[in-house]
Amino acid sequence: MAGIKRRTSLKDLAQELGVSIATVSRALRSSPEIGKEMQERVKELAKRLNYRPNPFAQSLRKEAPRMIGVVVPNLVTHYYAAVLDGIEDEAGKAGYSVISANTHEDTAAEVRAIDNFISLHVEGIIACLSQNTTDYSHFEEISKMGIPLVFFGRTCLPELFSSVTANGDEAAQQATQHLIDTGSRRIAFIGGPNHLDMVRRRKHGYLEALRENRIPIDRNLVICEKIDYQWALEATTRLLKEQHPDAIVAFNDIITFAAFTAIKEQGLHIPDDVALIGFTDDLHAKYVTPRMSAIEDQSHLIGQTACQLLLKNIGGDSKIYKKIVPQKLVIRDTSSRKK
């Protein structure tokens, strides 16, 4: 069965001609800012590739809506849902509607989402990187076009864009120190891909706690590869069988609950055999047995703050802001082992 051919986009035309998306858009509208020769080249290519403007976007522009696009890696997790809720609350106060795109941790889907938002003429974009994204050229294009963009959580290109992040390094250090204070010495860290700034920050805090307490760093106890439940379940199982950690610091909610399950499946007791602290949300941490010790994000506030920064950019403020929203360490049953 033949696949459905993807609609030719403004980005396709721009790449073919070696110009910016903004130039293509203006040329198709016969803007006087674009020379006649370039206008003709763009229109000829558009006709040859059967480019058709998005009718939905055109109808929206007639009504002149005020729209913000939001790109998230995994909308089904509580963290991203809560961030989006914070963005929507703040955007609504300013008269903006929010359109969200879930990339499912896929870079190609992230690029398509950005492309779609450009076609819809959103006034600004809030984004969190897919775990697979290492080429940031689609975001560099956004900067060249002058479209305001703010990152949250996982960020890149700090010289070009504002960002809202958490103090993951400090929080991870506090969590690791708590595990040391309650008797753990073989503390593992399970994280996502090392190229993500969020992973690097949290791992750094974990390592700093070990260094400050003069506990030798065992690289076999540090596993950073993928944000995926099945991978984390299998990685934790191998770790428990081969390295015998007495505690685990888990990077996020997906990895935390995979580790929680693996420990139980191995017939080990939490926290007596293996203590566990994860970066996760209050909602899920309370309702497992034993109750999860957690490093909790103020995710709704992260969304609000990101939207506030974006609205400043939309309003003409070109300053690049770096905002940090503190996390909170909440000690419950999974790490409350006595010395």
Side-chain angles (χ1 to χ4, degrees):
M1 181 176 172
I4 298 172
K5 187 176 180 181
R6 184 173 73 86
R7 178 195 292 267
T8 300
S9 69
L10 287 174
K11 187 172 184 178
D12 295 327
L13 299 178
Q15 288 179 336
E16 181 79 15
L17 293 164
V19 298
S20 72
I21 295 174
T23 296
V24 171
S25 178
R26 292 181 186 124
L28 290 172
R29 298 197 307 269
S30 301
S31 169
E33 299 173 15
I34 306 300
K36 290 293 183 184
E37 182 183 349
M38 177 57 72
Q39 288 185 32
E40 289 173 6
R41 287 179 61 198
V42 171
K43 290 174 182 177
E44 189 279 329
L45 181 64
K47 183 177 180 180
R48 180 159 55 85
L49 297 183
N50 196 29
Y51 168 75
R52 296 179 183 178
N54 186 323
F56 175 62
Q58 287 188 320
S59 66
L60 286 178
R61 285 198 296 275
K62 289 177 184 177
E63 300 299 322
R66 310 185 74 188
M67 293 189 298
I68 289 171
V70 181
V71 183
V72 297
N74 190 347
L75 192 52
V76 298
T77 67
H78 183 269
Y79 171 76
Y80 292 113
V83 170
L84 182 59
D85 193 56
I87 292 170
E88 289 176 341
D89 281 355
E90 203 64 29
K93 295 176 189 174
Y96 282 84
S97 297
V98 175
I99 304 173
S100 62
N102 186 357
T103 68
H104 303 282
E105 299 284 10
D106 178 64
T107 302
E110 180 180 279
V111 173
R112 286 195 300 271
I114 294 296
D115 193 23
N116 288 338
F117 287 157
I118 292 170
S119 297
L120 287 170
H121 289 239
V122 297
E123 292 190 36
I125 297 171
I126 298 172
C128 180
L129 291 176
S130 156
Q131 66 172 308
N132 298 324
T133 300
T134 55
D135 177 357
Y136 309 128
S137 57
H138 49 302
F139 292 114
E140 290 172 333
E141 186 70 22
I142 289 290
S143 176
K144 290 175 185 174
M145 292 178 68
I147 298 174
L149 183 145
V150 173
F151 282 109
F152 74 91
R154 310 173 195 168
T155 72
C156 66
L157 304 173
E159 71 283 3
L160 296 180
F161 301 110
S162 295
S163 63
V164 181
T165 56
N167 61 336
D169 50 350
E170 295 175 22
Q173 185 167 354
Q174 291 169 8
T176 307
Q177 185 63 52
H178 163 73
L179 293 170
I180 293 169
D181 291 343
T182 51
S184 296
R185 290 298 178 270
R186 287 189 58 74
I187 304 170
F189 180 87
I190 305 177
N194 279 306
H195 68 265
L196 291 177
D197 58 333
M198 181 187 282
V199 174
R200 292 196 301 269
R201 287 193 299 269
R202 295 179 181 184
K203 183 170 68 174
H204 175 75
Y206 152 82
L207 294 171
E208 280 298 294
L210 297 183
R211 292 188 188 101
E212 286 194 359
N213 288 272
R214 295 183 172 82
I215 296 175
I217 295 170
D218 184 346
R219 295 295 174 184
N220 293 318
L221 293 175
V222 182
I223 306 174
C224 293
E225 185 177 328
K226 196 174 181 182
I227 303 170
D228 175 79
Y229 182 87
Q230 190 60 38
W231 170 83
L233 184 68
E234 294 170 1
T236 306
T237 300
R238 287 194 302 272
L239 183 73
L240 294 168
K241 289 180 177 179
E242 298 172 7
Q243 303 300 328
H244 308 290
D246 56 13
I248 295 173
V249 177
F251 165 72
N252 73 346
D253 48 359
I254 292 171
I255 293 174
T256 295
F257 287 102
F260 183 85
T261 301
I263 294 168
K264 288 198 163 190
E265 286 182 349
Q266 291 303 301
L268 299 170
H269 294 93
I270 306 172
D272 296 331
D273 296 321
V274 184
L276 177 63
I277 295 180
F279 284 80
T280 186
D281 60 89
D282 178 68
L283 180 66
H284 294 96
K286 284 180 179 176
Y287 298 117
V288 293
T289 304
R291 295 177 310 148
M292 184 73 66
S293 292
I295 305 158
E296 296 177 356
D297 275 299
Q298 298 187 70
S299 43
H300 190 272
L301 180 58
I302 288 173
Q304 287 181 304
T305 305
C307 191
Q308 288 166 1
L309 295 186
L310 186 69
L311 292 172
K312 282 187 176 183
N313 289 161
I314 291 172
D317 185 348
S318 59
K319 181 178 177 181
I320 296 174
Y321 293 89
K322 307 297 178 190
K323 294 288 186 180
I324 297 176
V325 177
Q327 294 173 302
K328 180 172 62 172
L329 176 61
V330 181
I331 302 303
R332 298 190 181 93
D333 301 334
T334 61
S335 68
S336 59
R337 178 177 58 199
K338 304 295 182 185
K339 280 190 179 182

Coordinates of all heavy atoms in Angstrom, one line a residue, residues 58 115 185 236 238 274 281 284 307 329:
Q58 N -5.0 29.8 7.1 CA -5.5 31.0 6.5 C -6.8 31.5 7.1 O -6.9 32.7 7.4 CB -5.7 30.7 5.0 CG -4.4 30.6 4.2 CD -4.7 30.5 2.7 OE1 -5.6 29.8 2.3 NE2 -3.9 31.2 1.9
D115 N 7.6 23.2 12.3 CA 7.2 23.6 10.9 C 5.7 24.0 10.9 O 5.3 25.0 10.3 CB 7.5 22.4 10.0 CG 7.4 22.8 8.5 OD1 7.5 24.0 8.2 OD2 7.2 22.0 7.7
R185 N 25.9 3.6 50.8 CA 27.2 3.8 50.3 C 27.4 3.4 48.8 O 28.2 4.0 48.1 CB 28.3 3.1 51.1 CG 28.5 3.6 52.6 CD 28.9 5.1 52.5 NE 29.1 5.7 53.9 CZ 28.1 6.3 54.5 NH1 26.9 6.5 54.0 NH2 28.3 6.8 55.7
T236 N 17.8 -1.5 35.4 CA 17.8 -1.6 36.9 C 17.9 -3.0 37.3 O 18.7 -3.3 38.3 CB 16.5 -1.0 37.4 OG1 16.3 0.3 37.0 CG2 16.5 -1.0 39.0
R238 N 19.5 -5.5 35.7 CA 20.9 -5.8 35.5 C 21.8 -5.2 36.6 O 22.7 -5.9 37.2 CB 21.4 -5.4 34.2 CG 20.9 -6.2 33.0 CD 21.7 -5.9 31.7 NE 21.7 -4.5 31.4 CZ 20.8 -3.9 30.6 NH1 19.8 -4.6 30.2 NH2 20.8 -2.6 30.3
V274 N 17.2 -1.9 49.2 CA 17.6 -0.8 48.3 C 16.7 0.4 48.5 O 15.4 0.3 48.4 CB 17.4 -1.3 46.8 CG1 17.9 -0.2 45.9 CG2 18.1 -2.6 46.5
D281 N 6.5 13.4 40.5 CA 5.5 14.4 41.0 C 4.8 13.9 42.3 O 4.8 12.7 42.6 CB 4.4 14.6 39.9 CG 3.7 13.3 39.5 OD1 2.7 13.0 40.2 OD2 4.2 12.7 38.6
H284 N 1.8 10.9 42.1 CA 2.1 9.5 42.0 C 2.9 9.0 43.2 O 2.8 7.9 43.6 CB 2.8 9.2 40.7 CG 1.9 9.4 39.5 ND1 1.9 10.6 38.8 CD2 1.0 8.7 38.9 CE1 1.1 10.5 37.8 NE2 0.5 9.4 37.8
C307 N 5.8 30.9 30.1 CA 4.8 31.7 29.3 C 5.0 33.2 29.6 O 5.0 34.0 28.7 CB 3.4 31.3 29.7 SG 2.2 32.0 28.6
L329 N 12.7 18.5 47.9 CA 12.9 17.1 48.3 C 11.9 16.7 49.4 O 11.9 17.3 50.5 CB 14.3 17.0 48.9 CG 14.7 15.6 49.4 CD1 14.6 14.5 48.4 CD2 16.2 15.7 50.0

